[in-house]
Amino acid sequence: MGGVASELVGASRERQSRKRKQFHTVELKVRMDCDGCELKVRNTLARMRGVESVEINRKQQKVTVKGFVEAQRVLRRAQSTGKRVELWPYVPYTNLYVAPPPVYDKRAPPGHIRRVDALIAPAAGQEEHLATLFSDDNPNACSLM
C-alpha cells in the first residue's frame, strides 16, 4: 500500500510543478472577405487547446482570441488557414501630443493609428546608413557631389 500512496503523492506534485499558462488576449488582423473565410478562421482557432472565446469583426478584419494561449501559436494557427495574418497593428488614438509622431494609416479603423514602435526601430538603422552614404568622410560616397 505504501508504494501506491507514494505514487499518488508524486503524481500530484508533478501536476503542480508544471508551469501554468497565463490568460492572454491576442488580437490579429486577418484578411477575410466572406462568411466562409470567417467560419474557417473561427473553427480553426476555436479548436486550439486553451482557447476560451473567439470574436471576429469582419468589417475591421479583426480577430480577438481569449484564453490560455501564446500569441505566436495563435498567429501560426491562423496562418495555417491560408489567410494573410498579422498581429493587430493599430492602437487607439487618444493623446494628441504623444512623444513619437503618430503614423496615420488610411486603412486603420476610426479612432486608431498604426503602432509606431514596430515601424521606427528598423528605420533608425537605415537612416544612419543613408547619412554615412553621402558623407564627406566616406571615400566611397557618391561622386556626383
Side-chain angles (χ1 to χ4, degrees):
M1 284 305 270
V4 173
S6 64
E7 287 179 22
L8 290 175
V9 171
S12 66
R13 283 187 195 146
E14 185 177 312
R15 270 188 243 130
Q16 290 175 356
S17 67
R18 283 190 211 160
K19 186 176 179 182
R20 297 203 66 183
K21 292 185 179 177
Q22 297 280 331
F23 188 85
H24 291 286
T25 301
V26 181
E27 296 178 329
L28 303 171
K29 181 178 180 182
V30 182
R31 175 111 167 115
M32 295 176 287
D33 298 324
C34 61
D35 292 333
C37 297
E38 181 179 336
L39 189 63
K40 185 176 184 179
V41 171
R42 181 185 303 275
N43 288 340
T44 302
L45 294 176
R47 286 190 209 127
M48 285 183 69
R49 180 179 293 148
V51 171
E52 299 288 324
S53 68
V54 177
E55 300 170 11
I56 296 180
N57 183 341
R58 193 173 0 146
K59 184 177 180 183
Q60 290 184 349
Q61 298 185 348
K62 181 177 182 178
V63 177
T64 305
V65 179
K66 295 180 182 179
F68 298 95
V69 292
E70 297 171 5
Q72 293 303 319
R73 287 188 59 225
V74 174
L75 184 65
R76 281 193 307 250
R77 180 64 70 96
Q79 288 173 341
S80 73
T81 61
K83 307 293 177 206
R84 184 179 300 163
V85 181
E86 62 180 313
L87 290 175
W88 186 250
Y90 306 115
V91 293
Y93 186 59
T94 56
N95 189 357
L96 297 175
Y97 304 104
V98 292
V103 178
Y104 297 101
D105 188 356
K106 65 181 180 181
R107 292 173 296 207
H112 288 76
I113 57 172
R114 186 167 275 280
R115 188 177 306 150
V116 179
D117 57 350
L119 297 175
I120 288 181
Q126 185 179 15
E127 185 177 302
E128 182 179 320
H129 174 69
L130 291 175
T132 59
L133 186 64
F134 295 101
S135 165
D136 291 333
D137 298 332
N138 186 359
N140 298 323
C142 183
S143 61
L144 297 176
M145 294 168 88

